[in-house]
Amino acid sequence: MDTSIAPAPETLTPDTFADRARAIEREVGRVIVGQSELIRLTLVGLLANSHVLLEGVPGLGKTMLVRTIADVMDASFNRIQFTPDLMPADITGTNILVEEGGSRVFRFQPGPIFANLVLADEINRATPKTQSSLLEAMQEHQVTVARRRYPLDPPFFVLATQNPLEMEGTYPLPEAQLDRFILKVMVPFPGEEDLVGILERTTGAETPTTSKVTTAAEIVAMQRLARAVPIAPHITAYAVSVLAATHPESPRAPGLVRQYVRYGGSPRGAQALVTAGKILALVDGRFNVAIEDIRTAALPALRHRVILNFEGEAEGITAEAVIRTILDEVAPPSVE
């Protein structure tokens, strides 16, 4: 197994991209049992220079996943445990009064948001005010405190975990913040075979270890290469058609959307489809995006951007069912 530190960013090629992405997946897979789709989609969010939201009940390894990703990268990592009494300054930092040269001056004390990888653990246990303090950091990669801006070093990746809203003590994330996550990934309960593997790795005398296989500089280079992947006009048109079909007023909208959807995805949804499609193609060793890449990205890219109306919620309709219907009914455009 190749566990050497990554080559210099200037040597990065599409083949190097695929090799390095798979090396990261292999190393993470030494600790996280199964969950190959979860690992890949989390990596897609990191390489897209964006953020990922994980949802699942406690105990499924969400926290361990981001810790392991941090372990295989030569990059800084901070964890923020979201609680109802957490305040915005506890995340972004604040000015403190210090003695300097015989006088007292204010100096900025950075908060835990200043790291390459940030785990926002159980993000929906904090109040909406505290959740919203992440908006500027996630969108603009900077923090403003006392009218002064502080940039965040690249790469900057927030992996947020949340418990299902049905659980006690949770607050729904504001739609504006949900839209900042390129993907929302549901963490499934492991099967019996995977449970056996988990028990073997977590209850034995030996603890699985990982090696660093990449650097922060190479992750930034991989992010740049991902943006350079060409995409054919008919693939872009398909991504736009899928997004348009999430809007009940659109002529493309299936009957299920018109009946049960209140709001469809924003333009960020189409950006997520295209960006995730480019990275999925690169990881697969291709330097071009296929229709199947867009379809693979559709569920995690759109499930948190489709807002059901009251009737849809009452009938038990899910965003996943809506998106699958769209994928079934919206045909890819023909190539001329």
Side-chain angles (χ1 to χ4, degrees), residues 99-104:
E99 293 281 351
E100 188 174 289
S103 61
R104 294 183 176 181

Side-chain angles (χ1 to χ4, degrees), residues 5-9 12 16 20 213-223:
I5 288 293
L12 189 67
T16 307
R20 196 53 56 187
V213 296
T214 189
T215 64
E218 191 186 36
I219 291 295
V220 172
M222 293 173 76
Q223 292 172 345

Side-chain angles (χ1 to χ4, degrees), residues 212-270:
K212 294 188 183 299
V213 296
T214 189
T215 64
E218 191 186 36
I219 291 295
V220 172
M222 293 173 76
Q223 292 172 345
R224 290 172 181 161
L225 180 62
R227 296 185 67 87
V229 174
I231 182 168
H234 74 282
I235 305 292
T236 302
Y238 179 64
V240 170
S241 298
V242 170
L243 182 79
T246 65
H247 291 262
E249 69 278 6
S250 169
R252 295 185 180 275
L256 191 72
V257 173
R258 296 180 185 179
Q259 182 174 1
Y260 295 120
V261 173
R262 190 167 122 196
Y263 299 117
S266 74
R268 286 197 187 99

Side-chain angles (χ1 to χ4, degrees), residues 49-246:
N49 194 23
S50 190
H51 317 284
V52 173
L53 177 63
L54 306 182
E55 181 175 315
V57 298
L60 297 183
K62 302 185 295 295
T63 303
M64 181 62 70
L65 172 63
V66 69
R67 281 188 176 277
T68 306
I69 292 175
D71 287 342
V72 303
M73 286 178 56
D74 188 15
S76 58
F77 166 70
N78 279 333
R79 171 180 174 172
I80 307 172
Q81 185 64 52
F82 280 67
T83 56
D85 60 347
L86 189 72
M87 299 299 292
D90 297 328
I91 298 173
T92 59
T94 187
N95 289 320
I96 60 174
L97 196 61
V98 298
E99 293 281 351
E100 188 174 289
S103 61
R104 294 183 176 181
V105 295
F106 281 102
R107 287 285 179 264
F108 178 64
Q109 181 69 37
I113 197 69
F114 286 84
N116 297 126
L117 276 74
V118 176
L119 169 61
D121 204 15
E122 296 187 304
I123 188 173
N124 61 336
R125 291 200 181 278
T127 61
K129 176 182 178 181
T130 301
Q131 294 173 12
S132 298
S133 66
L134 290 172
L135 292 177
E136 181 185 15
M138 293 174 65
Q139 181 64 30
E140 302 175 39
H141 291 198
Q142 68 177 23
V143 168
T144 301
V145 176
R147 294 183 293 181
R148 183 172 178 181
R149 297 175 181 175
Y150 300 91
L152 299 167
D153 293 334
F156 174 65
F157 176 59
V158 173
L159 182 62
T161 70
Q162 74 170 10
N163 298 315
L165 293 179
E166 297 80 15
M167 298 190 70
E168 187 176 351
T170 61
Y171 300 84
L173 292 179
E175 284 82 358
Q177 184 167 353
L178 279 173
D179 210 26
R180 260 71 172 184
F181 292 100
I182 186 173
L183 304 175
K184 178 182 177 181
V185 184
M186 309 303 292
V187 184
F189 192 84
E192 292 185 9
E193 185 176 339
D194 287 338
L195 277 173
V196 171
I198 291 171
L199 293 176
E200 289 176 348
R201 297 190 192 185
T202 58
T203 63
E206 296 184 4
T207 302
T209 59
T210 59
S211 301
K212 294 188 183 299
V213 296
T214 189
T215 64
E218 191 186 36
I219 291 295
V220 172
M222 293 173 76
Q223 292 172 345
R224 290 172 181 161
L225 180 62
R227 296 185 67 87
V229 174
I231 182 168
H234 74 282
I235 305 292
T236 302
Y238 179 64
V240 170
S241 298
V242 170
L243 182 79
T246 65

